[in-house]
Amino acid sequence: MIRVSGLSELFVMETREHLVVSHKKPTLTPKAIIHQNFGDKACYVVEEVKEVHQIECPGLSIPQMRPCLYRCTLQLPELCVISGTFKKKKDAEQSAAEIAIEKLGICTETIDPTPQEAQESLVARITNIFSDKFLLCDHPLGGHIRATLWRKGDLCGSIPISVLAVYDAKLLSLCKYINPDVESNPFLVISFIKRATINLCQYLATSERHLCIRRLTPYPQDIVESLMKKHDSLECIQVAAIRIPSSVEQSIEPVILHISLREYYLDVIANELGFEDAANVMISRNLGKASSETRLFFTAPKPYLLDLCSKFANEKETLYLMGSLNVRASYFAGQDITGDAILASIGYTRKSGDIFYEDVSVRLYYRMLLGKTPGGIYKLSREAILAAELPSRFTTRANWRGSLPRDILCMFCRQHRLAEPLFSFHPFKTSSVLSGSSLKVAESGDNVIEHGNGVCVTSPMHSDSELFKCEIKLLSRCGDLILLCSPKDGYKKQNDAIQNASLKVLSWLDMWFKSVILPFERLCETADDFNIQIYSNNIISEILAGQSTHNGQLNAIQCNKLVEPTYMNSSYDMLGNIVQSLKIEGPYSGACPCNGSLPCIRYSVSLAVESQNVKEVIEVCDEFEFEVGVGAAVSYIEEVVMQMSVGQYAYFSTNFLTSNLIYASAGESTKMLSLLSSKDCSIAYEISLIKVAEPPEERMEQALFSPPLSKQRVEFAVQQIQESHATTLIDFGCGSGSLLEALLNYPTSLEKMAGVDISQKGLSRAAKVLNSKLYANSDAGGQWTSVQSVILYEGSITNFGSQLQGFDIGTCLEVIEHMEEDQACLFGDVALSFFRPRILIVSTPNFEYNVVLQKSSPPTQEQEELDEKTLLQSCKFRNHDHKFEWTRAQFRQWASDLAGRHNYSVEFSGVGGSADVEPGYASQIALFKRDWKLEDDVLKHADEHHYNVIWEWNSRKE
């Protein structure tokens, strides 16, 4: 009778639990909400839409491929809705669902329960956990309860409260509504569960001596016998784990847990910690992934546990007074851990009713430790712990290897239990300002006058060159601001801005973790260099939680004792200080890494003890590719690789590694410890250079020149325009219109511009860019350019056409090398004999300068013995599309002969480098000038070619 009444009340409580907890619904997508309300009755039909797109570039004669757009129709029993058009099908479906939700008036707001409602739900949830039905479910807690049935005496069916607090997300969530401090102090959950069981004293029993809960009435005998028979096994498993002593003076040590499937595994862990049973065993949050069962098992001081409801439960100092704070374990868990701790991966999962376990080795411990630092996360993502380093710069997505900076920052925040980083973008307009050898960038509205190359050049009042800045905020889980990074640099792409800003934060944090002792004052000073503002209290309490000394005073961050630094700063000026007995073998092939290139190496690292004639391999990597010049590899490895050519092998040794890195890479820790204790122990490297991917021409130039050569060539052209007072210009081989667009940024005398190219794709891009810019100028009243008309032609620059005659200035910048050599010579003849501009500017790469671009380290003794001709032969063209590249002598010969044949004068100049310093300019320029006047009649040609007009703009027609 009593039992029936009890079951009825249990049913009521379970129902109440469902009703109250349902107030707090997870964030759902519109489609999920529709499915929740209509299930299979909701029908989505997505169709491709053929729409008339707004013309991006009026007058463009080239047909444009438009992206596919989709529209979704959602049919519900009560209504039918149609979405707008989207580039992705899923976006169209979500939009349709959102429209339906709005029309039906479905409430999507989540309502948090009040503390009183949460308390009632907590009682109902505990009741549900100890029901007959829950015993048979696949919930992890069900596995724990079934395992406790093997316990003897009063412990049979008794489950530690700490298990309930950790393994049931609903209980934890409800406790957070009762008191938000649960987020920072998980021990509070135990006190709330203990209070809730008081209301269930007629169903559940608790012990004053042990923090456990059990049912007063036993589970049905048939259910228990069925479970016992199903899991009856004499098998004993061995689980490798790690003991982390509370004293930092003691080393961690591996332990083996011998667990019978007929006993509760927490009792075995309790015995390992020196206790009789699991009653007082505390369990940390899971470490690593959300699905991981890797946790820390420890015991808190008994006075603290037995008085959890008192004021001391909220005071951190209690742990210092009542027990020894385990700073290393606390660092792992992101919460306070006291006494010795066992790091193990064991528990029950929803996937299987049987116990799940994985071995935790010393190697895994140090890899987990490495994964708490920014540089360590990057090393692990590369699977190259002894070779990779977090790069100092993000150049391009194509050159980056491993996890991206943004992803690393997010992972770092999760590891330290911080909120997800907040990224905000700040677009701004810029103006280009000529200033001789550098390009200044001023925000829109500035009117700066600079003197470049002897000519007064006024910066434009307008430029549609939009850049992005990314600001990053790091917050605690409670929303307190920890760190603010506001970089001053702008980037053309949002992704580049976010990656570079993330890398700034990571680089500063990584410097912090590398430092052995870093006073907080010095930390603040270095933060300023990274455009970072830090908030000291939050930094110490959130990022370095659990790493303070026992008395709570933190005058300096002693990483060597608290977090066991994973590596040291590897920035040495002299390679000889680090590398010993360097030997490079194999013939010199001439294919060498250079600044910005991507060498790919195969390497092995061994721990060598010369006195014992022992060499133990600790890390091998068949393919490790990295970008040169950004710090993506350990400095001494990069320095050695820069002295090699493809096909060569290098052998050297070093003592420049910490034991933590070795433990994170090596397998057997006992053997490694023995070898490391030897006085003549060293690290031996064997490296072979497999291949080298040359950097793109623009990237290679950007590494050495600021501004890039492309901008310097524009400046040169602007100077010639201003000196000659030219009003018309034609760009031969205009491509995507980069020169024509750039010229619009400068106040010149130009009134008409034209471009000609053979590529429709390039001309299409040029038309769109120029159209956007010129229409913006029209809207501004034509204040920032004097250009009245622009026209783009399709055709080869080696064909004659009267449409290209009569221009004041012709430009052909970095074009002829993309043609066959005979075609380049033909262009010169056609340009000066038929097109005949008053001034023709031709630029092309100086092949001799490739030695500088493709070598960023001094040649080895073997290379020094090679003559200049051999070195030039070993150099490659700057671009795979180049058909030829001329030396200075070859270029001068071609230009001088061409000028002589057509009665032009020629002057030689260049950009990048200097004419007086070998090997001259990086980009050599020939300036052809015509001193005689053209006849009034247009020159006729028997094979005149008609150029197709691709796009035309005229200010008078607007």
Side-chain angles (χ1 to χ4, degrees):
M1 193 73 176
I2 296 176
R3 183 175 181 181
V4 173
S5 175
L7 288 175
S8 300
E9 290 189 31
L10 288 177
F11 175 77
V12 172
M13 285 186 173
E14 290 175 24
T15 305
R16 183 184 302 158
E17 174 209 0
H18 172 74
L19 290 175
V20 176
V21 174
S22 65
H23 281 266
K24 175 61 180 176
K25 298 178 182 178
T27 303
L28 299 175
T29 63
K31 275 191 71 175
I33 295 173
I34 290 295
H35 179 75
Q36 198 175 57
N37 285 271
F38 296 96
D40 296 336
K41 295 179 181 179
C43 179
Y44 296 88
V45 178
V46 180
E47 59 180 342
E48 188 174 338
V49 180
K50 304 291 184 182
E51 287 189 349
V52 179
H53 297 272
Q54 181 181 0
I55 299 176
E56 298 178 15
C57 186
L60 182 60
S61 62
I62 302 174
Q64 297 298 295
M65 294 296 295
R66 302 293 185 180
C68 293
L69 294 179
Y70 300 95
R71 178 188 293 131
C72 177
T73 301
L74 172 57
Q75 182 66 54
L76 298 173
E78 303 175 32
L79 83 162
C80 177
V81 296
I82 301 176
S83 74
T85 55
F86 296 87
K87 292 182 179 180
K88 296 181 180 180
K89 294 181 180 180
K90 63 179 182 180
D91 292 340
E93 291 176 339
Q94 295 291 357
S95 175
E98 191 172 0
I99 294 171
I101 290 170
E102 185 178 352
K103 288 191 173 183
L104 292 170
I106 299 175
C107 180
T108 59
E109 295 181 1
T110 58
I111 304 174
D112 293 339
T114 64
Q116 180 60 36
E117 290 174 330
Q119 185 68 44
E120 294 175 5
S121 295
L122 184 64
V123 173
R125 179 61 183 171
I126 295 172
T127 303
N128 182 29
I129 289 172
F130 286 92
S131 66
D132 297 346
K133 181 180 177 181
F134 193 88
L135 182 65
L136 300 173
C137 74
D138 61 355
H139 193 284
L141 268 181
H144 280 269
I145 296 173
R146 290 191 292 271
T148 61
L149 297 178
W150 289 104
R151 305 177 84 183
K152 306 300 182 182
D154 293 340
L155 294 178
C156 180
S158 179
I159 186 167
I161 297 179
S162 61
V163 172
L164 299 179
V166 168
Y167 289 101
D168 188 68
K170 287 186 178 180
L171 286 177
L172 181 61
S173 177
L174 290 168
C175 289
K176 288 179 181 178
Y177 290 125
I178 298 173
N179 188 341
D181 291 342
V182 167
E183 179 64 43
S184 57
N185 186 1
F187 286 133
L188 288 175
V189 179
I190 296 175
S191 68
F192 293 134
I193 293 176
K194 189 176 180 182
R195 288 181 193 174
T197 54
I198 296 175
N199 298 326
L200 300 170
C201 58
Q202 52 183 324
Y203 313 117
L204 302 176
T206 59
S207 170
E208 290 296 328
R209 190 168 63 91
H210 299 292
L211 290 176
C212 291
I213 303 176
R214 64 179 177 85
R215 282 182 28 153
L216 288 175
T217 57
Y219 289 101
Q221 190 65 28
D222 56 336
I223 295 179
V224 173
E225 290 179 357
S226 174
L227 291 173
M228 292 291 191
K229 186 176 181 180
K230 182 178 180 181
H231 299 282
D232 188 13
S233 175
L234 297 176
E235 181 184 355
C236 181
I237 60 175
Q238 295 184 352
V239 182
I242 296 293
R243 176 189 291 273
I244 306 176
S246 60
S247 172
V248 295
E249 304 300 327
Q250 298 179 4
S251 301
I252 64 164
E253 57 183 5
V255 296
I256 300 295
L257 304 176
H258 300 274
I259 301 173
S260 168
L261 296 184
R262 282 191 168 189
E263 62 183 337
Y264 189 28
Y265 77 86
L266 280 179
D267 288 334
V268 177
I269 293 177
N271 294 337
E272 188 66 38
L273 290 170
F275 292 86
E276 294 181 4
D277 57 65
N280 295 328
V281 171
M282 299 290 103
I283 308 168
S284 75
R285 307 177 176 107
N286 58 333
L287 309 181
K289 297 180 180 179
S291 59
S292 170
E293 283 302 316
T294 305
R295 300 175 187 271
L296 285 161
F297 301 87
F298 61 102
T299 57
K302 282 188 178 180
Y304 179 81
L305 293 174
L306 296 176
D307 198 18
L308 281 169
C309 298
S310 73
K311 62 178 181 179
F312 294 108
N314 292 320
E315 297 183 6
K316 186 184 183 74
E317 288 78 4
T318 306
L319 294 175
Y320 293 107
L321 295 172
M322 295 185 173
S324 176
L325 185 69
N326 192 324
V327 290
R328 288 179 294 189
S330 299
Y331 177 67
F332 269 115
Q335 66 184 84
D336 295 321
I337 306 293
T338 56
D340 291 354
I342 299 294
L343 177 65
S345 181
I346 186 169
Y348 296 94
T349 66
R350 291 184 181 273
K351 297 179 180 179
S352 172
D354 298 326
I355 192 169
F356 166 86
Y357 66 94
E358 289 180 325
D359 289 338
V360 176
S361 61
V362 173
R363 177 174 181 264
L364 180 59
Y365 169 86
Y366 281 102
R367 289 173 77 90
M368 291 174 65
L369 183 64
L370 194 63
K372 299 283 284 187
T373 67
I377 296 172
Y378 180 77
K379 284 175 175 285
L380 293 171
S381 74
R382 296 298 317 269
E383 285 296 329
I385 293 174
L386 302 182
E389 286 280 20
L390 179 68
S392 59
R393 288 187 293 121
F394 181 89
T395 55
T396 65
R397 176 65 182 88
N399 284 4
W400 187 272
R401 299 294 182 269
S403 297
L404 291 168
R406 181 186 186 279
D407 299 332
I408 295 175
L409 184 59
C410 291
M411 191 175 298
F412 176 85
C413 290
R414 295 186 201 111
Q415 288 282 6
H416 291 270
R417 295 196 60 79
L418 305 178
E420 289 291 304
L422 296 181
F423 304 91
S424 56
F425 294 102
H426 303 283
F428 63 97
K429 303 280 187 180
T430 62
S431 298
S432 302
V433 183
L434 283 175
S435 57
S437 61
S438 64
L439 185 72
K440 296 185 177 180
V441 177
E443 293 194 13
S444 289
D446 292 344
N447 186 18
V448 182
I449 297 179
E450 295 289 337
H451 292 273
N453 299 321
V455 179
C456 184
V457 182
T458 306
S459 72
M461 291 295 295
H462 175 85
S463 169
D464 68 349
S465 180
E466 188 175 55
L467 299 181
F468 294 94
K469 293 180 182 178
C470 178
E471 185 180 84
I472 298 179
K473 292 180 180 178
L474 296 191
L475 307 172
S476 70
R477 288 284 178 98
C478 300
D480 297 326
L481 182 61
I482 293 174
L483 177 151
L484 174 65
C485 179
S486 304
K488 298 177 181 178
D489 303 324
Y491 300 88
K492 290 184 178 180
K493 297 179 180 179
Q494 285 190 3
N495 183 61
D496 288 348
I498 196 172
Q499 301 298 349
N500 277 282
S502 299
L503 192 55
K504 267 187 179 290
V505 177
L506 292 170
S507 298
W508 176 75
L509 289 169
D510 204 40
M511 180 185 64
W512 182 4
F513 279 100
K514 284 181 180 179
S515 302
V516 177
I517 296 179
L518 185 63
F520 195 75
E521 293 77 13
R522 175 59 184 151
L523 188 66
C524 294
E525 293 174 7
T526 58
D528 293 338
D529 298 335
F530 291 84
N531 309 126
I532 289 174
Q533 183 179 358
I534 59 176
Y535 297 78
S536 58
N537 292 336
N538 289 328
I539 282 282
I540 294 173
S541 62
E542 296 296 335
I543 296 184
L544 290 184
Q547 294 187 22
S548 57
T549 55
H550 294 309
N551 60 8
Q553 300 299 317
L554 193 64
N555 298 322
I557 302 168
Q558 304 178 30
C559 299
N560 57 328
K561 290 186 177 181
L562 301 181
V563 302
E564 302 180 358
T566 52
Y567 45 84
M568 298 167 62
N569 196 340
S570 59
S571 57
Y572 270 66
D573 295 331
M574 297 299 292
L575 185 62
N577 292 342
I578 307 171
V579 173
Q580 304 163 5
S581 307
L582 173 62
K583 185 192 301 181
I584 297 178
E585 297 179 353
Y588 178 71
S589 65
C592 303
C594 64
N595 229 359
S597 65
L598 296 170
C600 181
I601 64 173
R602 179 185 295 114
Y603 73 86
S604 67
V605 187
S606 304
L607 200 58
V609 180
E610 188 175 352
S611 61
Q612 302 178 24
N613 196 23
V614 174
K615 196 173 185 180
E616 188 73 22
V617 177
I618 54 180
E619 183 171 284
V620 176
C621 184
D622 290 332
E623 287 189 2
F624 176 67
E625 192 174 39
F626 63 94
E627 183 178 2
V628 173
V630 298
V634 174
S635 60
Y636 53 83
I637 292 180
E638 181 172 314
E639 289 294 333
V640 170
V641 172
M642 292 300 290
Q643 299 184 36
M644 302 170 64
S645 65
V646 172
Q648 288 188 320
Y649 296 82
Y651 306 89
F652 65 91
S653 61
T654 181
N655 295 320
F656 196 72
L657 270 181
T658 64
S659 58
N660 291 356
L661 281 180
I662 296 172
Y663 285 136
S665 301
E668 190 178 345
S669 59
T670 306
K671 190 173 185 179
M672 291 300 114
L673 181 62
S674 173
L675 294 176
L676 285 170
S677 62
S678 304
K679 293 183 179 180
D680 57 344
C681 177
S682 64
I683 307 298
Y685 281 83
E686 296 180 11
I687 299 175
S688 63
L689 182 55
I690 304 171
K691 60 183 179 180
V692 176
E694 296 295 336
E697 181 181 6
E698 185 178 353
R699 271 281 300 115
M700 191 161 41
E701 293 175 351
Q702 284 178 352
L704 292 178
F705 302 107
S706 179
L709 293 183
S710 58
K711 292 188 180 295
Q712 293 189 41
R713 286 189 287 266
V714 172
E715 292 181 2
F716 185 91
V718 170
Q719 179 178 342
Q720 299 307 315
I721 293 168
Q722 293 181 335
E723 287 181 345
S724 64
H725 304 289
T727 59
T728 59
L729 176 142
I730 182 166
D731 187 19
F732 297 105
C734 65
S736 300
S738 56
L739 174 62
L740 299 177
E741 179 200 7
L743 290 176
L744 292 174
N745 290 331
Y746 300 94
T748 66
S749 53
L750 290 177
E751 297 177 1
K752 176 183 179 181
M753 296 195 307
V756 58
D757 202 278
I758 201 170
S759 168
Q760 283 195 353
K761 186 176 182 180
L763 290 168
S764 176
R765 290 176 180 171
K768 293 175 182 176
V769 170
L770 293 169
N771 179 78
S772 173
K773 197 156 200 170
L774 289 164
Y775 273 92
N777 177 57
S778 297
D779 293 341
Q783 297 176 0
W784 47 271
T785 182
S786 59
V787 174
Q788 301 297 312
S789 68
V790 182
I791 188 167
L792 298 179
Y793 296 106
E794 178 192 6
S796 171
I797 59 176
T798 60
N799 294 329
F800 168 73
S802 58
Q803 296 154 292
L804 308 189
Q805 280 185 323
F807 285 87
D808 292 335
I809 285 187
T811 55
C812 186
L813 306 183
E814 308 297 293
V815 174
I816 60 173
E817 64 273 9
H818 294 272
M819 309 164 67
E820 296 296 340
E821 199 164 354
D822 60 335
Q823 291 295 300
C825 294
L826 176 59
F827 159 72
D829 286 323
V830 171
L832 298 190
S833 64
F834 298 111
F835 299 146
R836 299 188 300 187
R838 184 154 52 92
I839 297 173
L840 176 64
I841 306 171
V842 178
S843 76
T844 191
N846 172 14
F847 181 65
E848 296 167 87
Y849 207 90
N850 291 0
V851 175
V852 178
L853 291 174
Q854 297 174 15
K855 304 284 182 185
S856 60
S857 62
T860 63
Q861 183 176 357
E862 178 185 354
Q863 296 168 11
E864 287 176 347
E865 296 174 357
L866 300 174
D867 57 22
E868 183 180 354
K869 183 178 179 181
T870 306
L871 280 174
L872 284 176
Q873 288 175 349
S874 69
C875 289
K876 298 178 180 179
F877 291 161
R878 299 183 197 177
N879 191 307
H880 65 86
D881 190 49
H882 288 184
K883 304 299 188 295
F884 68 90
E885 288 183 6
W886 281 333
T887 63
R888 286 170 291 174
Q890 290 172 318
F891 182 60
R892 283 176 175 269
Q893 185 67 47
W894 169 78
S896 299
D897 292 347
L898 179 63
R901 287 198 303 271
H902 302 288
N903 196 21
Y904 272 73
S905 63
V906 63
E907 300 171 6
F908 295 97
S909 185
V911 293
S914 171
D916 301 327
V917 179
E918 289 295 323
Y921 291 112
S923 184
Q924 49 192 343
I925 297 175
L927 186 66
F928 299 91
K929 292 184 178 180
R930 171 174 54 81
D931 298 329
W932 41 275
K933 293 184 178 181
L934 284 176
E935 299 177 4
D936 294 336
D937 60 319
V938 178
L939 183 66
K940 299 294 182 183
H941 190 278
D943 298 323
E944 180 173 348
H945 174 77
H946 180 74
Y947 289 91
N948 296 323
V949 177
I950 296 301
W951 175 80
E952 185 174 7
W953 178 87
N954 195 311
S955 64
R956 298 189 181 97
K957 296 180 180 179
E958 302 306 322

